[in-house]
Each structure stands twice: as C-alpha cells, then as structure tokens.
C-alpha cells in the first residue's frame, strides 16, 4: 500500500502544481497589464514593470495555492476514478482511511510550502517591489512600524495612525523641520482627507516653535500643502498583509496595548494563521466530492466545478471577514468559519459516499 499511497500522492501534487503554474501565468499577465498604465510615470518603464511583476509572483503564488489545491486535487482524483484505478485500489485492499491519509499527507506538503513561501520569501519580495515602485514613481519615503504608517515629504515627517478607503486617514501627526533640522511646527489632527489635489486636516492642533517661544492654537479645518500622494500611502498600507506572522503579531499587540485601532492587523494575522487549515479543508472537500460522485465527468467539468467552488470559498472568506468588522465580532471567528464549514461539508460528502 505504501507504493500506491506514493503513486496517488504524486498524482495529486503533480496536478496541483500544473494548475498552479497555469493560474500563475494567467494572473501574472493581468498583473502586467495593470502595470502598463503606470509606464512613463517618473522613471517607471517596461523593464521595471516586468521586474515588478516578477517580484510579485511569490505573493500571487501564495494567494493561489488554496485555489489550485481544490482544482488540482479534484482533477487528480477524478482522473483516477475515470480510469477505474480507484476501484482497483479499493479491490486490492485500499480503504478510505488509506486514501484520507494520502490526501492529508499531500496537504501537509502544500502547507509547509505555503508557510515557507509566505514567511521567508513573500515579505521580502513584496517589500522590494513596493520600494521599487515608490522610488521610480515618486520621491516619497514610506514605511510601517508598530506606531503606524510613516511618510517623508521633503523636511516633513508624517505619522498616520490608520488608513481607510477613499483616501481618508485618521490620527495624523506632522513634524515640520527647517533646513537646519530644527523642529518648527507639530500638527496633530484627528482625521485627514485628500480632495481635489489638496490635503485637509480636521480638528487640527498646531504647536509652533519660534526660537524660545512656543505658540499653540487649534483649527477646525486646516489646509495642508503637501506633495504626498495618498495612493502611494494606501499602497504601502495594503502591504501590511505581507509581513511575517511574528511581525504582524507584534504590531497587533503594540497597537492594542496603546489603545490604537488593531482590527485590520488582527484580521490579517488570523488570515495567515488559518491559511493552512483552508488548504486542508479544500483538499478534504475534493476527496469527499470524488468519492461522493458516482458518475464520471470530464476534466473540463471538474475544472469548472473546482473553479466555482474555489471562487465561492474565496468570496465567503471575504464576506465573513467583513461581516465580523461590521457587526463587531472577534476577527478570529470571521476568519475561522469558512474553513470549518468546508470541513463539515467534506465530512458530510464522505459519509454520504460510505
């Protein structure tokens, strides 16, 4: 049985690898098409676009692994069923438990690969891609720390506590220095938004340093002249999902301990933690469907079914995650529910097949 388990496992891994390569080629092409619009901005040219897409391929691979796992394992198990190899293996003494062990050993290989890719390669390749984009498209310097997002605009240093969609930001602190690196002004604002090419600060508090004098005043709404591009700030903010699990955990704990908004970091942290469970759940679902479907189907139908289920799973993960935010549910619950539901469905299909 050891030879048969190895044979089945190799078929599953080979099918998943083939699907992953095909999906990677398709999505990389669309990623390159998305970079074409920025060609000609600053020093960003065709070669830079190709290099950026190449640097983003590890992240794309990491995101496509669950999708490819479902489609590839369904194709492999379906091919074995169509060729009556599953029946021959069962007649030879192979039990469903043996098949289950093979399936989950294969999933363990994928989990190790996904963790290694997400923790060792993706953070560094994405950071390099982000820095390359920023360096070639504009002169701003941005980074993320435990205290928030930091940006530099000439002699100004800006700290942003949190970023929302629509180019809106909260908890803003701006430090303005003169050419001799002397602090001139400190501006604190509860929120800021970018409208019609200008920055507007709400509930701003100004502290002006003029030699030995210090002047403080407040403004309900303040126009702040800056060349800082909000789209670039949002781009850096979204890269927080590419930090390692340990780094995300540190940022999340830091934000929580300092009474800052930490829902986004907590959600991203649990997304990365639950990813291995999602891979196991999807492979278990393919196993249940293969044994539960007594009628043979073509490879194209299996690909279509796998793609549909994978897309439904991805959308469900996003919906549960956003619902947890809207209804103030613990982020862990919103993240863990989709793979748990898939595992229950997989067990139900296997029980029905029995």
């Amino acid at each position: 049985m050891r030879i048969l388990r190895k044979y089945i496992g190799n078929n599953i891994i080979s099918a998943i690898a083939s699907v992953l390569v095909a999906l990677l080629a398709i999505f990389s092409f669309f990623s390159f098409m998305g970079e074409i619009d920025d060609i000609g901005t600053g020093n960003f040219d065709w070669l830079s676009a190709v290099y950026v897409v190449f640097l983003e391929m590890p992240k794309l691979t990491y995101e496509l692994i669950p999708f490819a796992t479902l489609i590839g394992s369904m194709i492999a198990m379906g091919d074995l069923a169509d060729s009556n190899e599953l029946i021959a293996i069962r007649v030879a003494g192979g039990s469903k438990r043996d098949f289950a062990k093979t399936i989950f050993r294969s999933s363990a290989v994928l989990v190790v690969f996904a963790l290694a890719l997400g923790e060792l390669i993706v953070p560094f390749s994405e950071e390099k891609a982000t820095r390359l984009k920023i360096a070639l498209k504009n002169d701003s310097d941005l980074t993320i720390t435990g205290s928030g997002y930091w940006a530099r605009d000439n002699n100004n240093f800006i700290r942003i506590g949190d970023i929302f969609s629509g180019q809106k930001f909260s908890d803003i602190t701006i430090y303005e220095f003169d050419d001799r690196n002397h602090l001139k002004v400190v501006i604190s604002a509860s929120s800021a938004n970018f409208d019609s090419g200008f920055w507007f600060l709400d509930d701003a508090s100004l502290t002006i340093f003029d030699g030995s004098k210090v002047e403080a005043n407040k403004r309900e709404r303040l126009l702040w002249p800056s060349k800082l591009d909000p789209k670039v700030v949002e781009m850096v903010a979204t890269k927080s999902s590419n930090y390692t699990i340990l780094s995300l955990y540190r940022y999340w704990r830091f934000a929580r301990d300092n009474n800052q908004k930490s829902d986004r970091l907590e959600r991203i942290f649990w997304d990365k933690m639950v990813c291995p469970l999602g891979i196991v759940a999807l492979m278990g679902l393919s196993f249940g469907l293969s044994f539960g479907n007594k009628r043979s189907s073509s490879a194209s139908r299996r690909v279509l079914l796998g793609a549909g289920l994978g897309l439904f799973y991805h959308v469900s993960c996003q919906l549960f995650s956003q619902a947890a935010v809207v209804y103030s549910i613990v982020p862990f619950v919103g993240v863990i529910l989709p793979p748990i539901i898939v595992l229950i469905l997989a067990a139900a299909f296997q029980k029905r097949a029995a």
Side-chain angles (χ1 to χ4, degrees):
M1 191 60 194
R2 180 180 300 176
I3 297 176
L4 292 177
R5 285 199 298 263
K6 185 177 181 181
Y7 172 72
I8 297 172
N10 289 338
N11 281 350
I12 293 173
I13 296 298
S14 299
I16 293 174
S18 300
V19 173
L20 184 59
V21 170
L23 291 175
L24 187 61
I26 295 172
F27 282 89
S28 295
F29 173 76
F30 285 112
S31 179
F32 176 75
M33 295 298 292
E35 297 292 343
I36 289 180
D37 294 337
D38 293 330
I39 293 177
T41 303
N43 297 321
F44 196 75
D45 54 13
W46 287 89
L47 186 60
S48 301
V50 173
Y51 188 44
V52 166
V53 171
F54 174 77
L55 290 174
E56 292 178 343
M57 285 179 68
K59 178 192 175 185
L60 189 58
T61 303
Y62 178 80
E63 294 175 345
L64 290 173
I65 286 177
F67 203 57
T69 297
L70 180 59
I71 299 176
S73 55
M74 288 189 65
I75 291 175
M77 297 299 292
D79 289 342
L80 291 174
D82 291 345
S83 61
N84 295 322
E85 291 181 82
L86 287 181
I87 298 177
I89 295 173
R90 293 290 296 274
V91 172
S95 64
K96 288 185 63 178
R97 181 175 296 179
D98 293 326
F99 280 102
K101 289 181 180 179
T102 303
I103 290 290
F104 288 107
R105 283 178 182 176
S106 301
S107 65
V109 174
L110 293 174
V111 167
V112 172
F113 173 72
L115 289 175
L117 188 65
E119 294 299 300
L120 302 178
I121 299 178
V122 171
F124 304 102
S125 64
E126 280 297 296
E127 181 181 1
K128 192 169 184 179
T130 302
R131 291 184 180 274
L132 180 64
K133 286 183 180 180
I134 293 174
L136 294 177
K137 294 179 183 180
N138 60 73
D139 297 325
S140 297
D141 184 20
L142 297 98
T143 187
I144 177 175
T145 67
S147 60
Y149 307 95
W150 286 87
R152 179 178 180 180
D153 180 24
N154 295 325
N155 292 334
N156 300 332
F157 293 86
I158 305 99
R159 188 193 68 82
I160 302 173
D162 203 358
I163 298 176
F164 305 94
S165 60
Q167 301 179 4
K168 295 182 180 180
F169 311 93
S170 67
D171 190 14
I172 314 296
T173 306
I174 303 169
Y175 302 90
E176 297 185 5
F177 292 83
D178 58 20
D179 295 334
R180 295 178 295 176
N181 296 326
H182 293 161
L183 183 62
K184 296 195 307 179
V185 181
V186 177
I187 304 175
S188 299
S190 60
S191 62
N193 65 293
F194 190 79
D195 186 19
S196 302
F198 296 97
W199 283 92
F200 294 93
L201 307 178
D202 298 322
D203 297 328
S205 299
L206 289 80
T207 304
I208 304 173
F209 299 90
D210 184 11
S212 59
K213 298 180 180 180
V214 179
E215 179 182 351
N217 55 70
K218 293 186 176 182
R219 305 279 182 85
E220 291 185 3
R221 190 168 177 84
L222 177 66
L223 173 65
W224 178 52
S226 176
K227 296 180 180 180
L228 182 64
D229 189 349
K231 293 183 179 179
V232 178
V233 179
E234 287 184 315
M235 179 179 67
V236 175
T238 57
K239 299 303 179 182
S240 62
S241 61
N242 303 312
Y243 279 72
T244 63
I245 293 176
L246 181 59
S247 298
L248 282 170
Y249 180 74
R250 289 175 177 173
Y251 295 150
W252 166 37
R253 290 292 300 273
F254 183 91
R256 187 184 64 181
D257 294 342
N258 289 274
N259 297 321
Q260 298 179 8
K261 292 183 178 180
S262 60
D263 292 344
R264 177 186 299 176
L265 291 174
E266 184 178 0
R267 187 171 66 253
I268 295 171
F269 170 77
W270 287 119
D271 277 335
K272 294 179 77 71
M273 290 293 292
V274 174
C275 179
L277 180 61
I279 294 175
V280 175
L282 290 173
M283 186 167 285
L285 179 62
S286 67
F287 174 63
L289 289 173
S290 298
F291 274 92
N293 187 10
K294 299 301 182 181
R295 294 181 298 175
S296 62
S297 59
S298 64
S300 59
R301 289 184 179 180
R302 286 193 291 271
V303 171
L304 184 61
L305 178 60
L309 290 174
L311 181 61
F312 180 76
Y313 175 76
H314 176 74
V315 173
S316 299
C317 290
Q318 298 298 320
L319 289 177
F320 276 99
S321 180
Q322 295 300 323
V325 176
V326 173
Y327 295 103
S328 300
I329 303 174
V330 179
F332 172 74
V333 176
V335 172
I336 197 67
L337 276 179
I340 292 297
I341 293 175
V342 171
L343 284 174
I344 294 174
L345 290 175
F349 280 120
Q350 293 181 33
K351 185 177 181 180
R352 182 182 179 183

